[in-house]
Amino acid sequence: MDELVIAGRRFRSRLMLGTGKYRTFEEMRQALDASGAEIVTVAVRRVNLDEREESLLAYIDLDRYFLLPNTAGCHTAEEAVRTARLARAAGLSNWVKLEVIPDDGTLLPDPVATVEAAKILVSEGFVVLPYTTDDHTVAKRLLDIGCATIMPYGSAIGTGQGLPNPERLKRIIDLVGGRVPVVIDAGIGAPSDAALAMELGADAVLVNTAIAKAGNPVAMARAMALGVEAGRMAYRAGRIPKSDVPSPSSPIEGLVGGVK
Amino acid sequence: MNVLVNGKSRDLPDGSTVLALLERFDLAGERVAVEVNGHILDRGAFAQHALSEGDVVEVVRFVGGG
């Protein structure tokens, strides 16, 4: 597959994986391995000082994977900026997957606060990968600010409803016009959704729940990677336009003669 | 002295550094970030930064997330 380039950094895989919701860290480790992903997202949370907890990072080889901290759980721009700064202080990179989600019920992003936070973080030298709606004006604002990607949702986080509005995603992809990668994040439920996202011209997809909660996450991770690869190849190959007029695939001449 | 760490009051020896706090909770080898009274510390400052009575400390780490 052709390389994905984000903020000058090159990646071979166009599938990014979340690390939440796995039954065990070991299962997550195996799923990451099977997916071929290089970018993996993590959240930032208080350490539990009363109970020793296993470290997630013990299961993620940092020579192989690039850690992308998110600001999940932040309800306001201010909280997201603070979380991003904490993530950077942990000393791995200045990249952040920006999420501002005011409502824990709908899990829908607040585009206005996301734009606000993105402005601050970009000015502080962060490489900002903002999670957003599929609204193309918001995408334009994020692009103008200097975000490193645009990450519109397919559908709401964790729903597995796929891409109910592909034309809206296509509009964003066309608007961005290859200036930065467009990553479809959230809602992917199956490899066919990932393939569709890539066929539309998305540059990458980010998947968590659909793999972590699959019957067999390791097999699903591999299936998802194949979906992404198939979709990317199809996009580059150039799919046929949809037509209302049928056209036979077999010649209409040279049919055997009729029997009298 | 009492210091509020991750929302809970902890009794630490006077003048304890951030590093001493991390060592006490077996976190010195972990990749954590630390904020004291709203200011984020550089990792290199953990060994020097002495805590004071009433300080509000946040210690965070990376966990699974999407």
Side-chain angles (χ1 to χ4, degrees):
Chain A
M1 217 170 2
D2 56 316
E3 284 183 327
L4 168 70
V5 182
I6 303 176
R9 203 178 169 109
R10 314 181 85 81
F11 301 96
R12 289 179 307 281
S13 172
R14 290 175 178 268
L15 173 60
M16 307 179 183
L17 251 60
T19 57
K21 298 181 180 169
Y22 282 91
R23 293 172 189 95
T24 64
F25 283 159
E26 179 53 29
E27 192 173 62
M28 177 207 71
R29 192 190 64 71
Q30 290 176 28
L32 292 184
D33 182 53
S35 75
E38 293 160 280
I39 300 177
V40 298
T41 60
V42 293
V44 177
R45 289 293 179 272
R46 276 178 168 174
V47 175
N48 182 350
L49 298 174
D50 294 314
E51 203 177 313
R52 182 101 178 109
E53 288 169 337
E54 217 177 1
S55 165
L56 171 78
L57 292 191
Y59 291 83
I60 300 177
D61 177 0
L62 295 178
D63 290 331
R64 174 171 173 188
Y65 300 105
F66 184 76
L67 228 55
L68 177 59
N70 68 29
T71 62
C74 294
H75 296 104
T76 64
E78 192 184 12
E79 287 170 20
V81 168
R82 181 185 183 196
T83 300
R85 289 173 181 156
L86 279 166
R88 179 165 67 176
L92 287 175
S93 79
N94 59 346
W95 288 41
V96 64
K97 182 193 160 193
L98 175 62
E99 299 181 37
V100 185
I101 298 176
D103 185 329
D104 294 334
T106 65
L107 289 181
L108 296 174
D110 176 341
V112 177
T114 303
V115 167
E116 205 180 304
K119 266 186 205 160
I120 297 168
L121 293 170
V122 168
S123 76
E124 292 183 6
F126 281 87
V127 173
V128 181
L129 293 78
Y131 170 63
T132 180
T133 63
D134 57 10
D135 182 279
H136 89 287
T137 305
V138 176
K140 173 131 188 7
R141 294 256 188 275
L142 294 167
L143 183 66
D144 290 346
I145 288 166
C147 290
T149 62
I150 306 295
M151 302 178 79
Y153 58 46
S155 45
I157 296 172
T159 62
Q161 290 185 10
L163 279 51
N165 299 301
E167 74 289 345
R168 291 177 66 86
L169 298 173
K170 186 72 172 71
R171 193 174 297 155
I172 290 179
I173 291 163
D174 291 344
L175 166 85
V176 172
R179 283 173 281 180
V180 299
V182 174
V183 184
I184 308 303
D185 177 12
I188 302 278
S192 52
D193 298 329
L196 175 60
M198 300 305 290
E199 286 170 28
L200 290 173
D203 297 280
V205 299
L206 197 161
V207 182
N208 190 341
T209 310
I211 293 175
K213 290 296 183 193
N216 181 338
V218 180
M220 187 57 83
R222 179 74 187 127
M224 209 60 84
L226 293 172
V228 168
E229 195 173 341
R232 180 65 182 174
M233 284 181 75
Y235 171 71
R236 284 165 61 89
R239 65 151 290 159
I240 58 162
K242 290 183 183 177
S243 166
D244 290 332
V245 184
S247 126
S249 296
S250 308
I252 50 171
E253 290 90 27
L255 292 167
V256 293
V259 179
K260 279 192 178 168
Chain B
M1 64 176 178
N2 280 302
V3 174
L4 198 67
V5 186
N6 288 357
K8 204 167 165 181
S9 184
R10 305 282 175 177
D11 189 16
L12 298 175
D14 283 357
S16 291
T17 62
V18 168
L19 181 61
L21 169 73
L22 296 179
E23 280 169 346
R24 167 164 164 192
F25 291 102
D26 206 12
L27 291 167
E30 292 279 333
R31 188 167 286 278
V32 296
V34 179
E35 190 189 79
V36 180
N37 301 329
H39 298 287
I40 295 169
L41 296 185
D42 286 335
R43 296 170 62 77
F46 291 174
Q48 286 84 45
H49 190 100
L51 295 168
S52 307
E53 171 75 28
D55 275 355
V56 178
V57 182
E58 292 286 335
V59 184
V60 300
R61 61 156 39 150
F62 293 128
V63 301

